[in-house]
Amino acid sequence: MSQRFLSLLIFIVLTLGSVWIWFNRVPASDSAAAAQPAIPMAGHPAPDFTLPTLDGQSLRLSDLRGQAVVLNFWASWCGPCRAEMPELEQAFRDRAGGGLVVLGVNQGEQPAIAADFVQRFGLTFPIVLDQELQVSRLYRTNSLPTTFFIDRNGVIKDQVIGQMNTALLEERLRTVYP
């Protein structure tokens, strides 16, 4: 095979490959891409949601704009969730008047089970019920507990997957709360 023929063959393959890629790309204006929710990552806006509270009201995350939010996904059967609740409650009590909200998202349990847990642990921060796991899927929580730290502008600054102790919680709070 001559070098000229080989060069021509490589040129044709590259040209056809480029044409194939061009015609099979997904246009930027594709409505399916535009309909996808924001990815819950540090530096990106926290995906908004509305969920019912234990007392039957509705709470919308974007209504908390202007306050730092610790968004904690938990369930009563989760041992690490139970272990970190006293630290979350103390952080909320210490900073509630200064613009920090701890928001607990109960994942997939009946309201009575969540209410019993809240009473047993003496929790005073708001709890919402994600019975259909829609928000858990939106935030891609694959393990519990999972906690997002959201600044006053609604931007995720940090995330912790797994149990937090007091030192870790305090360190991560500094990313959203002075």
Side-chain angles (χ1 to χ4, degrees):
M1 212 187 299
S2 74
Q3 182 157 346
R4 185 177 182 130
F5 178 75
L6 186 58
S7 296
L8 181 62
L9 184 60
I10 290 172
F11 175 76
I12 291 171
V13 169
L14 289 175
T15 303
L16 289 174
S18 297
V19 169
W20 183 84
I21 289 171
W22 176 261
F23 282 109
N24 288 298
R25 68 183 170 80
V26 177
S29 63
D30 189 344
S31 61
Q36 290 202 355
I39 296 174
M41 293 175 47
H44 293 263
D48 198 17
F49 62 84
T50 302
L51 284 174
T53 63
L54 281 174
D55 62 2
Q57 302 295 313
S58 287
L59 190 144
R60 184 179 180 111
L61 180 63
S62 60
D63 289 344
L64 300 176
R65 208 54 61 79
Q67 301 177 79
V69 177
V70 176
L71 183 64
N72 178 258
F73 290 85
W74 64 275
S76 65
W77 51 262
C78 167
C81 300
R82 288 192 301 271
E84 74 179 7
M85 281 299 163
E87 283 85 4
L88 289 169
E89 177 62 24
Q90 192 61 50
F92 176 69
R93 288 183 186 202
D94 290 348
R95 297 168 176 90
L100 177 75
V101 174
V102 174
L103 178 58
V105 180
N106 177 265
Q107 194 177 53
E109 295 183 305
Q110 296 299 315
I113 293 171
D116 180 58
F117 182 91
V118 167
Q119 182 180 12
R120 192 167 2 122
F121 282 86
L123 303 179
T124 58
F125 56 82
I127 302 291
V128 292
L129 303 169
D130 187 18
Q131 290 182 285
E132 302 298 322
L133 303 178
Q134 292 172 325
V135 175
S136 297
R137 280 191 293 277
L138 179 66
Y139 275 80
R140 299 179 184 174
T141 56
N142 296 319
S143 59
L144 294 177
T146 296
T147 307
F148 291 88
F149 295 83
I150 304 168
D151 72 10
R152 296 173 190 266
N153 297 314
V155 175
I156 297 171
K157 292 297 184 179
D158 211 341
Q159 176 185 9
V160 173
I161 298 172
Q163 179 182 338
M164 293 183 290
N165 59 28
T166 303
L168 179 58
L169 176 59
E170 290 298 321
E171 175 188 314
R172 300 303 165 95
L173 277 172
R174 285 193 286 276
T175 65
V176 296
Y177 188 86

